[in-house]
Amino acid sequence: MLLLTALDIYLFPFLNLEADKVITGEYWRILTANLVHFGWPHTLMNIAAFLLCSFVFFNDLSLKKYSLLLLWCCLGVGVGVFFFSPEYSPYAGLSGAIHGLIVAGLIQTRAYPMWIKIGGLILIAGKLIQENLPGYQATDLQELIPVAIAVESHVYGAIAGALFAGGDWLLTRLKR
């Protein structure tokens, strides 16, 4: 992501999510939009959140499963934005997928007691609800990012994370 931001002027136009370009066959944008950002502050905030989330929840997860989870969350966000929030054009950033990682991590981790996991899920749900209320403005963040924050992408990511965790739980039960 650092390299993509450094080469932003050349790569952003080919990797961000623009619905009209996806419709014409540029399907990769659904995934690659998660990797490009609107400048350095956006990139650094997302990398910090991504690393923190990864260290807190996924130390004991295999690289394969973690990669599948990240891919699934990125896909969920890209598809969600494409179909349900086309007003975010261009769309870029990893925060939606990070919300998916947090939700999946809270559901799946065994490192924390149940009350912490449930409390975390309640806090995330409250954050998502607040962000999507009429009149919500992320004024502090908005000063750092030169576009509207796509708060709906956080919901799409959280849903993707919950679906991944639920599917993983179901597959584990079926294998037994």
Side-chain angles (χ1 to χ4, degrees):
M1 286 188 284
L2 294 172
L3 181 59
L4 292 174
T5 301
L7 299 172
D8 180 54
I9 194 164
Y10 306 108
L11 297 176
F12 187 87
F14 301 105
L15 301 176
N16 70 73
L17 178 54
E18 294 182 48
D20 58 335
K21 292 184 179 179
V22 172
I23 291 169
T24 63
E26 297 181 14
Y27 304 116
W28 65 84
R29 292 173 178 273
I30 287 174
L31 287 175
T32 60
N34 293 276
L35 304 175
V36 293
H37 292 81
F38 293 103
W40 285 106
H42 191 205
T43 302
L44 295 174
M45 284 188 298
N46 276 200
I47 288 174
F50 174 73
L51 291 174
L52 180 63
C53 172
S54 297
F55 289 129
V56 168
F57 294 119
F58 301 109
N59 287 327
D60 59 347
L61 203 61
S62 72
L63 181 59
K64 178 182 175 183
K65 189 181 257 187
Y66 183 70
S67 298
L68 285 172
L69 170 60
L70 180 59
L71 180 65
W72 175 259
C73 289
C74 288
L75 185 63
V77 169
V79 167
V81 170
F82 175 72
F83 282 109
F84 304 113
S85 301
E87 67 273 13
Y88 294 113
S89 188
Y91 172 80
L94 192 63
S95 63
I98 291 168
H99 280 74
L101 295 176
I102 292 169
V103 168
L106 284 166
I107 293 170
Q108 291 186 309
T109 189
R110 295 171 192 232
Y112 306 103
M114 187 61 73
W115 70 271
I116 289 178
K117 293 166 45 166
I118 291 171
L121 289 169
I122 291 169
L123 288 172
I124 289 290
K127 176 188 181 291
L128 295 174
I129 290 168
Q130 180 201 17
E131 286 179 338
N132 286 279
L133 288 174
Y136 172 79
Q137 293 188 12
T139 53
D140 294 340
L141 292 176
Q142 200 61 64
E143 291 176 12
L144 297 172
I145 301 171
V147 296
I149 296 172
V151 293
E152 291 89 344
S153 72
H154 301 167
V155 175
Y156 307 141
I159 291 168
L163 289 173
F164 185 92
D168 186 50
W169 177 84
L170 185 60
L171 286 174
T172 302
R173 296 297 176 259
L174 291 174
K175 286 180 183 178
R176 290 183 185 174

